[in-house]
Structure formats: C-alpha cells, structure tokens
Amino acid sequence: RSIAFDSVDATRSFASGGACGRLHFHALAKTIKKRKHGLNPLPITCSSFSPLFQSATVAQGSRLLLCQRKEHLELWYLKQPRLPSSLSGDLEGLASLEGELAMRIALSGAEEGQHICASALSPSGDVLAASDATGSRLFRLNLEELEVRREEKLSSEVRKTPARAMLFCGTKLLALATWSTNEVLLVDVAQLSVVARFTQHNAPVSQLAASGE
C-alpha cells in the first residue's frame, strides 16, 4: 500500500497502489480539463504491478500445479511424460511435460478486481487455501467430479484475516502469515480453527518454509 505524488507543476498527478494489485494514476481535481465527452475524473487503471501476486504451488503426490494469477487460481494436472525408448547422451530425446487445465477458481473479491495475495495447495492435492484483501478461505477439492467446496465452518478469525503467505505443513496444518500484523497463525485443517500462533517477529512475514520431516 503506497502513494506517490508527481512534483511537476504541469501534470500535477499522483499514483496509488494497494493490496488489490492494481496501480491507479489520478489527476488532481483543479487540473482536470474538459474533453470531447465531458469531464473524466476517474483514475487511469493499470494492470497488475507486483510479482507477489503471481506464484505457483506443486502437489507432487497428485501431480497438481496451482497457479496464482491476478484475480483467480488455475489448477493444472501434470501428465506423466512419455520417455523415448532410447536416450541420447545430451538428453535431447526427453519428452516435454504437458499440463491439462482442470479448473479455474476465484474468490468473491474478484468481482471488485481484488487480486489473490496468497495461496497454497496441500501435498495430497485435496485441500486448497487462498486469500485476498477481505480474508482467507479454505476449500476441499474433488478432481474426479471437478468440484470445489468451501469450508463454511472455518473460524471467523481466519476468514477475516488477509494473508501475505500460506504454506501447508503436511496434510493437517496450514501456516498463515497475516497481512496486517507480524503474526504467523497455525490452522488445523480438520478443526478449522487456529491452534497456535507465533508472535516473535518484529516485521511482517512474507515467506514461509517447512522441513520435510
């Protein structure tokens, strides 16, 4: 979230950006000029400007790839590559990996142009977490039926907490770095509630990592 002013008197404009992932250029009210179609006080909207809103998560056990792109998520199935019978020394014969789009998912904030700011996919590929500026959500996936079911009983604290980063720690726990505080919440996926919190950080946490054990 930031704002910057243009110091040039001839233009007298300013730019603003926020967690929604969009950049706006505004003209100050006294410099707005009349055009052919009348006054146009609306800001100029640019496309997404932060790489933080573009990320990917792989669930190796189910060969699923979760892509976070602007206002929505894409879930891809990575097909098993077909290896040729004979391989050359420089591996030129290796087949390229192919992906099949299984589904596209959006949160309610997408209607207002809010970008998804964090997402995660469980190692088994059957649980998905996502967050935008309004809060965080948890979903159950059924790829055979191509169904996505939101967990309505997720605790209100989690639903009202936007996340900077998300990471599944195994199949039962979800780590969530909050956007507005320096806390990291640990959410039990079965209980759908916060079971632990880490408050030792003096600055917002933007990345999470877990050991393989």
Side-chain angles (χ1 to χ4, degrees):
R1 299 177 177 88
S2 62
I3 188 170
F5 284 89
D6 188 352
S7 59
V8 180
D9 293 336
T11 55
R12 299 289 296 171
S13 61
F14 68 95
S16 63
C20 68
R22 295 189 181 279
L23 184 65
H24 298 276
F25 284 93
H26 313 256
L28 295 181
K30 66 178 183 179
T31 63
I32 296 176
K33 298 180 180 180
K34 185 176 294 185
R35 301 180 180 179
K36 294 182 179 180
H37 300 288
L39 294 178
N40 184 20
L42 297 178
I44 300 174
T45 303
C46 299
S47 59
S48 60
F49 61 92
S50 174
L52 295 177
F53 299 101
Q54 316 292 330
S55 63
T57 306
V58 178
Q60 296 182 356
S62 56
R63 304 190 63 83
L64 292 176
L65 174 66
L66 178 67
C67 297
Q68 176 182 312
R69 300 181 67 247
K70 299 182 180 180
E71 299 96 341
H72 63 271
L73 297 168
E74 291 181 353
L75 194 63
W76 291 78
Y77 175 72
L78 302 179
K79 300 179 180 180
Q80 184 72 34
R82 296 181 179 180
L83 296 179
S85 56
S86 61
L87 299 179
S88 58
D90 56 2
L91 300 182
E92 290 182 354
L94 285 176
S96 60
L97 191 65
E98 296 183 1
E100 179 180 351
L101 180 61
M103 61 180 67
R104 184 177 282 109
I105 305 166
L107 303 185
S108 57
E111 300 178 355
E112 302 175 359
Q114 294 185 8
H115 285 209
I116 295 176
C117 51
S119 60
L121 184 64
S122 66
S124 56
D126 59 348
V127 184
L128 182 153
S131 176
D132 60 13
T134 63
S136 301
R137 303 290 184 266
L138 197 66
F139 301 90
R140 302 285 179 176
L141 303 178
N142 185 339
L143 292 180
E144 293 183 358
E145 302 294 335
L146 294 180
E147 292 180 349
V148 181
R149 178 174 58 86
R150 191 179 75 176
E151 287 287 4
E152 301 289 348
K153 295 183 179 180
L154 185 64
S155 69
S156 59
E157 178 183 5
V158 179
R159 287 188 283 109
K160 295 178 181 179
T161 302
R164 288 181 180 269
M166 290 176 159
L167 178 70
F168 277 96
C169 305
T171 58
K172 298 181 179 180
L173 296 176
L174 171 69
L176 186 155
T178 63
W179 188 278
S180 57
T181 70
N182 304 336
E183 291 186 326
V184 176
L185 307 180
L186 206 57
V187 181
D188 189 302
V189 176
Q191 299 181 15
L192 303 177
S193 61
V194 177
V195 293
R197 64 183 70 235
F198 302 93
T199 60
Q200 296 88 350
H201 296 281
N202 297 323
V205 177
S206 59
Q207 293 185 351
L208 298 168
S211 65
E213 300 178 356

